[in-house]
Amino acid sequence: MKRTIRAEDWSDTDNVIQLLEQPYTPVPVMTNGFDTRTFAAQDQFAVWREAGTNIGIIDRPGAEVAPFRAAVRNYYTSTLAYSRHRAFDPSSLDRGDRHTAAVEVEAFAIQYRVSGTETANGFATGRYFTGGDIRIVDLSHPLFSVNPTYDNIAVIVRKQDLVDRVPALDRLHGATLPAGGMTALLRAHMVSAIDGLPALSQREADKLSDVTVEMLGAALSSATIPGIMEAEELDAPLLKAVRLCIEQHLHRPALSPDFIAHAVGVSRAKLFRVCRPFGRPMELVRHKRLQRAMALIRAARTGGRPATVTEIAYMVGFENRETFSRAFKAEFGLSARDALQLHLAQARTHPTHPAHPDPTG
């Protein structure tokens, strides 16, 4: 790994050689945590409860001074937090409106339950978190959970890092990922990440977090979660409004998901959910732009000077000809230049028969 040599280090050759010969020690990943068993038995629960003050109200059955065995370890990268919580005695967590209002957290906790089963929670799904499950918790929402014992691995990820990857983001709170290949891969990744982080440098941990975000996006976007798919038929009027907005503003190079969401009056997350049949909003925009470009090519007349490929590209919102040409060929299997020349040749051969019917009759 390369060292950074300061200008003043070049004052003499011997000094530089000594610097280069010194072993390089990477900055270790940022971490914190503790084990209550290192405290006196009567203080163990008080320590655990105090550590969770910013999360919610932690309670337990029985006397507060009774032993409470639990441990937590957190690792922090530039974009994610990884955490492992273990509690070997019963407890409950109540994260109410007071906590969510006091600490605004626009993030999700993706929780993998290694072992243990809830006996109560505040989710409407009616399902208790149990060993092998991966559950999605929106940290801006209240949370209630009761557990005899548990072992959890969690990844805390900002909503902004998932919104472009996951449709129906605003409906995921409390959802449990269904069994399947992607869920199994995500479980394995979370375990290997939490086990491997202690040996990583901060730079390596940051690279790992990029992989984790991609894994989360793939697993969450591919999951068919009950209660989400059933609602899609309700989105037909909204999809019609989205299509109309795109068609009216195709000429704008700056047409973006934020612009469309604002124009039709929905959240960015809801826009992505509505556009899911087409992939992402910008894929729908791209498709509409190319369809409009083909319509302009077919409308070109042989009399006078027809529009050039570059002009057509700008008319449908592409910022340069090269990007437009690549997209056009990928969509239709021939270049825009060839499509235009073919149409003009056909128009000259059959001047009284347009290459496409006039939709206005």
Side-chain angles (χ1 to χ4, degrees):
M1 194 174 292
K2 293 183 178 179
R3 296 183 57 82
T4 300
I5 306 299
R6 300 168 301 174
E8 56 266 32
D9 294 330
W10 291 93
S11 57
D12 63 80
T13 305
D14 290 340
N15 189 34
V16 173
I17 293 174
Q18 289 172 5
L19 278 169
L20 293 174
E21 288 177 346
Q22 291 174 6
Y24 175 70
T25 304
V27 177
V29 64
M30 188 184 303
T31 182
N32 63 25
F34 64 92
D35 189 324
T36 63
R37 289 169 292 189
T38 63
F39 298 88
Q42 67 270 20
D43 297 328
Q44 289 174 358
F45 182 69
V47 169
W48 186 254
R49 183 173 59 188
E50 180 64 26
T53 299
N54 63 330
I55 300 174
I57 299 172
I58 297 175
D59 205 352
R60 64 164 300 169
E64 183 173 322
V65 294
F68 187 82
R69 301 160 300 156
V72 60
R73 176 59 60 182
N74 303 310
Y75 302 93
Y76 305 96
T77 74
S78 58
T79 56
L80 299 178
Y82 298 82
S83 180
R84 187 161 198 167
H85 283 69
R86 294 183 172 111
F88 306 99
D89 292 295
S91 64
S92 65
L93 170 65
D94 188 356
R95 177 179 169 81
D97 292 332
R98 178 170 64 86
H99 289 89
T100 56
V103 182
E104 294 185 6
V105 181
E106 289 300 316
F108 282 101
I110 313 300
Q111 302 176 328
Y112 166 40
R113 177 56 64 98
V114 181
S115 63
T117 301
E118 281 180 330
T119 56
N121 66 42
F123 296 113
T125 60
R127 174 170 180 162
Y128 293 149
F129 200 28
T130 191
D133 284 350
I134 293 182
R135 183 169 68 186
I136 306 147
V137 176
D138 186 336
L139 295 178
S140 66
H141 288 43
L143 172 66
F144 176 69
S145 179
V146 179
N147 295 274
T149 64
Y150 67 87
D151 181 0
N152 272 5
I153 296 173
V155 177
I156 312 301
V157 56
R158 298 173 301 186
K159 292 180 180 179
Q160 68 189 56
D161 293 329
L162 289 180
V163 69
D164 287 342
R165 295 176 169 88
V166 183
L169 195 63
D170 57 343
R171 302 188 191 182
L172 293 182
H173 180 56
T176 300
L177 294 188
M182 284 304 303
T183 300
L185 284 174
L186 182 57
R187 279 198 298 262
H189 175 77
M190 292 175 72
V191 171
S192 62
I194 205 75
D195 288 344
L197 275 162
L200 299 186
S201 68
Q202 191 67 55
R203 181 183 298 178
E204 291 169 331
D206 286 342
K207 292 183 180 298
L208 172 66
S209 66
D210 293 338
V211 176
T212 300
V213 170
E214 292 298 331
M215 284 288 297
L216 292 173
L220 270 59
S221 63
S222 65
T224 302
I225 300 173
I228 293 179
M229 301 299 290
E230 294 84 341
E232 289 188 344
E233 64 271 14
L234 301 177
D235 294 329
L238 178 55
L239 181 57
K240 184 177 180 180
V242 169
R243 286 175 178 272
L244 180 61
C245 174
I246 291 172
E247 289 167 0
Q248 290 175 337
H249 299 282
L250 274 182
H251 63 284
R252 293 174 175 263
L255 183 60
S256 67
D258 287 336
F259 178 93
I260 299 168
H262 178 75
V264 300
V266 298
S267 69
R268 182 182 169 95
K270 189 166 187 177
L271 173 67
F272 272 78
R273 188 191 74 235
V274 168
C275 293
R276 179 164 51 182
F278 308 95
R280 297 177 181 178
M282 291 311 295
E283 292 178 54
L284 180 57
V285 170
R286 173 184 170 279
H287 175 73
K288 288 288 186 183
R289 280 178 167 157
L290 294 171
Q291 291 293 329
R292 175 73 61 83
M294 180 60 87
L296 290 171
I297 286 174
R298 289 175 174 171
R301 295 289 183 262
T302 55
R305 186 183 72 84
T308 66
V309 170
T310 300
E311 289 170 339
I312 291 172
Y314 290 143
M315 289 165 68
V316 298
F318 282 87
E319 294 188 278
N320 60 73
R321 173 176 172 152
E322 290 73 21
T323 302
F324 168 69
S325 296
R326 286 194 299 270
F328 191 97
K329 188 167 186 178
E331 182 82 4
F332 298 110
L334 77 166
S335 69
R337 179 175 178 273
D338 289 345
L340 181 58
Q341 290 180 343
L342 179 62
H343 165 71
L344 292 175
Q346 290 175 338
R348 282 191 293 268
T349 304
H350 305 286
T352 59
H353 296 87
H356 71 293
D358 184 348
T360 64

